[in-house]
Amino acid sequence: MLYKSLLLSGAGLLFNFFDCFINALDLRNHSYSNNLFMNCCKKAAQAVALAIGLLAFVQLHAQSSSGWNNLISGNSLKGWKKVGGSGLFNIENGVIVGTSVADSVNTFLITEKEYGDFILELDVMIESAESNSGIQTRSHFNTPDHPRRVYGRQMEIDPSARKWAGGIYDEERRGWIYPLQLNPAAQSAFIVGKFNHVKIECIGNEMKTWINHIPAASLVDTLDSKGFIGLQVHAAGDVETPGKKVYFKNIRIKTSGLQKENFPAAIYTVNNIPNSLSVAEKQHGWSLLFDGQSSKGWVSAKADHFPEQGWKIQDGVLQVLSSEGKEAANGGDIVTEKMYRAFDLSFDFMLTPGANSGVKYFVTLQEKSNGSAIGLEYQLLDDVLHPDAKLGINGNRTLASLYDLIPSSKERRILHPVGSWNTGRIVVYPNNHVEHYLNGIKVLEYERTSEELAALISKSKYSIWPNFGQAEQGHILLQDHGNTVSFRSIKLREL
């Protein structure tokens, strides 16, 4: 009723304007007193001013009542400040324009206020696919560990050939957390040269992003419960790239009455809380294969119980112990009690210097091998110190490769150093298409029942095993190759 009354008042004022304006014209046409003419014009102008002010008040009050607040007011940057590099920010007709300059690090326009839980919406445009930008969330500036630098989680605006706009990057800290190869369906959502609608949801430990209403990235992370929001002008790499512009408008935020928006089940969630599943992951069919406390669900590959030695469970970590590199000579391999046909498997692993291990799938245990059980293998290896990296063909025994068959294609910059956690992922689709990922990057893919794979098998160490890798279902296996390797956050969704 309040809005209706205010709107009717505004309409009345506008009607008053038109009435006064018509009277003024009538007085002018009939050559009446100039004073009467001017008085009518003044009344018309006053009516316009009052109507505009009243309608603006109605709009502001309605927005505030719904929980949304604008972060831009007219052509003012009040509430924002520039930090970091020497890139430029100005505002034109309510649009923030960022411009890159030569010889500058990343520059940010950040909110003076910090935010915890929120939903942020805005429109973003980049003129060229050669440009890059981002939106900082719960971020920080100029702390002892990051002097004069902005750091924190960023929703990436990356319209380059890799099409990672909408992914999540940890500025000046951990690097890529959610490369958009994890969600190919969103890679074409961002369009260069036009305004794109962006939505970022940060509620509790969860962060989600959307580009033009298409779900992009899903993250569960414990770092940064609050911080500022920032708009990025990317560093100019050389003298040919300065002058690139990025545009931001319609920036609004909601901090109360928040409701999480669910993502489709097919979109993978990066969950950085060890051995846990979010509510959404559970709803979408994910289950933990290791609960962080016990050997439940796992047995020896050569017995009906978990090994009595050679493996240790402590502090949320499942660890195979060293036996000086002797394959399956201590506790031996362990396998899941259950068998799987098509699945999405994710696991964290930590190598020790010179370590060798593997995660195998479609393991049937029907082969009577002397060492490790037989199956398709996601190779785990210290490529620098272990000699196996130089054996095989074209690197097909290196980290994340399909061992002895297909080499992984990976850039060194995606690797986390030996002694730190990395994340592996194996996806086997119902049509037998298979993908290997390392830290969110797809490093190989193949067709499990193809003639191409059969030809590779015929030239490999597996040629002696009939129908190798062709079982309809099999166990998941963690390998004991005689080196200390740790596992955690082993989760699986059946497809």
Side-chain angles (χ1 to χ4, degrees), residues 3 5 70 89 133 216 254 309 329 339 359 392 403 406 434 442:
Y3 294 153
S5 176
N70 282 327
F89 286 98
S133 183
K254 186 175 185 179
Q309 62 181 21
M339 302 178 80
V359 176
Y403 178 72
I406 302 174
V434 183
K442 184 163 63 177

Side-chain angles (χ1 to χ4, degrees), residues 203-465:
I203 303 176
N205 289 328
E206 298 185 35
M207 176 177 177
K208 298 189 188 81
T209 67
W210 289 258
I211 299 287
N212 293 322
H213 309 288
I214 296 175
S218 175
L219 171 69
V220 179
D221 195 34
T222 58
L223 295 186
D224 306 321
S225 61
K226 68 176 183 177
F228 59 70
I229 291 166
L231 312 176
Q232 183 192 47
V233 164
H234 202 272
D238 54 61
V239 295
E240 295 180 359
T241 59
K244 296 293 190 297
K245 295 183 183 296
V246 56
Y247 303 83
F248 307 91
K249 70 175 184 178
N250 299 330
I251 308 174
R252 66 175 189 165
I253 193 166
K254 186 175 185 179
T255 57
S256 62
L258 304 179
Q259 293 184 344
K260 295 180 181 179
E261 183 174 341
N262 291 329
F263 268 19
I267 298 178
Y268 178 81
T269 294
V270 171
N271 189 336
N272 287 334
I273 303 177
N275 306 316
S276 74
L277 294 174
S278 66
V279 172
E281 286 178 294
K282 292 176 183 178
Q283 292 174 343
H284 293 160
W286 286 93
S287 59
L288 289 174
L289 299 189
F290 170 56
D291 62 14
Q293 300 175 340
S294 72
S295 61
K296 181 181 179 181
W298 295 87
V299 296
S300 167
K302 297 185 177 181
D304 60 358
H305 57 82
F306 195 79
E308 297 178 357
Q309 62 181 21
W311 290 84
K312 180 175 72 174
I313 297 174
Q314 184 177 337
D315 299 328
V317 174
L318 174 61
Q319 187 177 72
V320 57
L321 303 178
S322 174
S323 58
E324 300 178 351
K326 298 175 183 177
E327 183 179 333
N330 195 359
D333 302 339
I334 60 173
V335 298
T336 56
E337 293 178 348
K338 186 175 178 180
M339 302 178 80
Y340 301 94
R341 296 176 180 269
F343 54 85
D344 191 341
L345 171 68
S346 179
F347 53 93
D348 290 350
F349 65 92
M350 182 190 294
L351 301 172
T352 52
N356 185 343
S357 183
V359 176
K360 299 184 181 183
Y361 49 109
F362 290 102
V363 175
T364 66
L365 301 178
Q366 295 176 356
E367 302 87 353
K368 303 302 179 182
S369 60
N370 293 326
S372 181
I374 301 303
L376 298 164
E377 180 178 351
Y378 183 113
Q379 170 75 315
L380 302 180
L381 194 76
D382 180 347
D383 289 346
V384 176
L385 296 181
H386 199 286
D388 217 19
K390 297 179 177 60
L391 302 177
I393 300 173
N394 297 325
N396 64 6
R397 295 188 178 185
T398 59
L399 176 63
S401 295
L402 179 63
Y403 178 72
D404 210 45
L405 295 170
I406 302 174
S408 61
S409 176
K410 55 187 181 292
E411 298 179 19
R412 182 172 296 276
R413 67 189 181 92
I414 75 169
L415 302 177
H416 302 164
V418 168
S420 57
W421 290 102
N422 288 263
T423 299
R425 184 181 175 211
I426 302 164
V427 186
V428 180
Y429 295 93
N431 65 357
N432 283 309
H433 179 75
V434 183
E435 299 171 342
H436 284 193
Y437 290 78
L438 178 61
N439 295 327
I441 306 297
K442 184 163 63 177
V443 293
L444 68 83
E445 58 187 323
Y446 67 97
E447 310 301 323
R448 191 165 69 93
T449 57
S450 67
E451 293 182 0
E452 290 79 4
L453 183 64
L456 293 172
I457 292 171
S458 69
K459 300 175 184 177
S460 74
K461 62 185 292 184
Y462 298 118
S463 61
I464 62 173
W465 305 107

Side-chain angles (χ1 to χ4, degrees), residues 21-22 82 100 111 127 153 170 175 179 193 213 266 282 292 328 416 469:
F21 184 71
I22 290 170
K82 188 178 82 168
S100 63
T111 57
E127 294 177 325
R153 294 197 301 266
D170 197 5
H213 309 288
K282 292 176 183 178
H416 302 164

Side-chain angles (χ1 to χ4, degrees), residues 46-119:
Q46 289 171 353
V48 170
L50 286 170
I52 292 173
L54 185 57
L55 292 174
F57 171 79
V58 170
Q59 182 182 23
L60 181 62
H61 193 276
Q63 182 187 68
S64 178
S65 298
S66 66
W68 288 101
N69 289 293
N70 282 327
L71 295 184
I72 302 178
S73 179
N75 281 328
S76 170
L77 291 178
K78 182 180 179 181
W80 297 81
K81 61 182 179 181
K82 188 178 82 168
V83 297
S86 54
L88 305 176
F89 286 98
N90 66 300
I91 187 164
E92 303 171 1
N93 299 320
V95 179
I96 295 177
V97 183
T99 307
S100 63
V101 300
D103 302 320
S104 173
V105 298
N106 291 342
T107 309
F108 298 87
L109 187 68
I110 68 173
T111 57
E112 295 176 348
K113 183 178 178 180
E114 291 192 336
Y115 297 90
D117 288 359
F118 63 84
I119 297 173

